[in-house]
Amino acid sequence: MNIKIIAAITLVVIIIVVIIIVVMLANIIRKESYIDNLEEVKGSVTGVIQLGSHECSEATDKHVGSNYIWIEAIPSVQEKCQINASQFGQKSIQGLLWNKTGEKKKFHIYNDAQSSSVFQLGKLNGWDKKLDKGGIIELETITYKDLATKYPQMLNPIYNHLVIDVQGAEYEVIQGMGDLI
């Protein structure tokens, strides 16, 4: 084999390894809770709307008391979230947020429903092996704007902080906000 080809292959392998390391480090860093980072802006945050809430297990950690709205896509998980959130006067709403209302989407349930997504998560970090036995459910989408019309308290200016944790669908969710941005 030509030395230039070997050098090129070696360079590609090194680049791939570096990318994998960067992605792994980003995932480790991301595990540091955004709640820890809320301390930095604590005084300016008067209310939070979190898109992607799982079971609202962090409800007790919030710095804004009852001014917290959790939005969860999976109906059975949202029910658990509501139980946890209501103990602190917080609200939980069920909705699969997207850029169009009324579409039927396959929703992949991963990691005990903690990392579920409209997208099929890939082999990176073994997500393909973490698909829960519940597997895939079908849900109907709703835009953030339409959900806010249905639940006008979402438009209250007290909610001045938005957490978007929707496993890759952030762009579509933001599109669905329309002129509310």
Side-chain angles (χ1 to χ4, degrees), residues 96-139:
L96 174 57
L97 295 172
W98 196 245
N99 57 8
K100 292 179 186 145
T101 293
E103 288 187 3
K104 300 284 186 188
K105 290 280 181 192
K106 290 182 179 178
F107 197 75
H108 302 83
I109 302 174
Y110 295 95
N111 198 21
D112 193 28
Q114 293 179 48
S115 305
S116 301
S117 178
V118 294
F119 299 113
Q120 184 175 357
L121 302 179
K123 292 183 179 183
L124 185 64
N125 295 328
W127 284 114
D128 58 325
K129 294 176 180 73
K130 294 181 182 177
L131 187 63
D132 286 351
K133 291 179 183 151
I136 301 170
I137 59 175
E138 186 173 88
L139 296 172

Side-chain angles (χ1 to χ4, degrees), residues 6 10 15 17 19 28 48 51 53 62 65-66 85 96-98 103 105 109 132 140 142 149 151-152 159 166 171:
I6 293 172
T10 303
I15 290 171
V17 169
I19 290 170
I28 290 168
V48 177
L51 316 180
S53 60
K62 302 303 171 215
S66 63
L96 174 57
L97 295 172
W98 196 245
E103 288 187 3
K105 290 280 181 192
I109 302 174
D132 286 351
E140 188 171 318
I142 188 166
T149 300
Y151 297 95
Y159 297 103
V166 292
Y171 179 73

Side-chain angles (χ1 to χ4, degrees), residues 51-114:
L51 316 180
S53 60
H54 190 239
E55 296 178 0
C56 303
S57 55
E58 306 110 339
T60 60
D61 295 338
K62 302 303 171 215
H63 304 291
V64 293
S66 63
N67 296 334
Y68 213 99
I69 297 175
W70 304 83
I71 300 174
E72 171 58 40
I74 305 170
S76 60
V77 175
Q78 184 272 329
E79 290 171 7
K80 292 176 187 174
C81 180
Q82 182 56 45
I83 291 167
N84 291 332
S86 65
Q87 297 175 50
F88 305 97
Q90 301 168 3
K91 179 152 184 69
S92 174
I93 299 170
Q94 190 277 324
L96 174 57
L97 295 172
W98 196 245
N99 57 8
K100 292 179 186 145
T101 293
E103 288 187 3
K104 300 284 186 188
K105 290 280 181 192
K106 290 182 179 178
F107 197 75
H108 302 83
I109 302 174
Y110 295 95
N111 198 21
D112 193 28
Q114 293 179 48

Side-chain angles (χ1 to χ4, degrees), residues 32-48:
E32 175 187 330
S33 174
Y34 63 87
I35 295 165
D36 298 332
N37 296 326
L38 255 172
E39 281 295 328
E40 297 171 20
V41 293
K42 185 177 175 183
S44 64
V45 176
T46 57
V48 177

Side-chain angles (χ1 to χ4, degrees), residues 49 51 69 71 93-94 97 101 142-156 176-177 179-180:
I49 296 177
L51 316 180
I69 297 175
I71 300 174
I93 299 170
Q94 190 277 324
L97 295 172
T101 293
I142 188 166
T143 65
Y144 185 94
K145 187 173 182 176
D146 288 346
L147 193 66
T149 300
K150 188 174 178 181
Y151 297 95
Q153 66 266 37
M154 291 173 58
L155 300 173
N156 186 328
M177 292 179 176
D179 60 359
L180 294 179

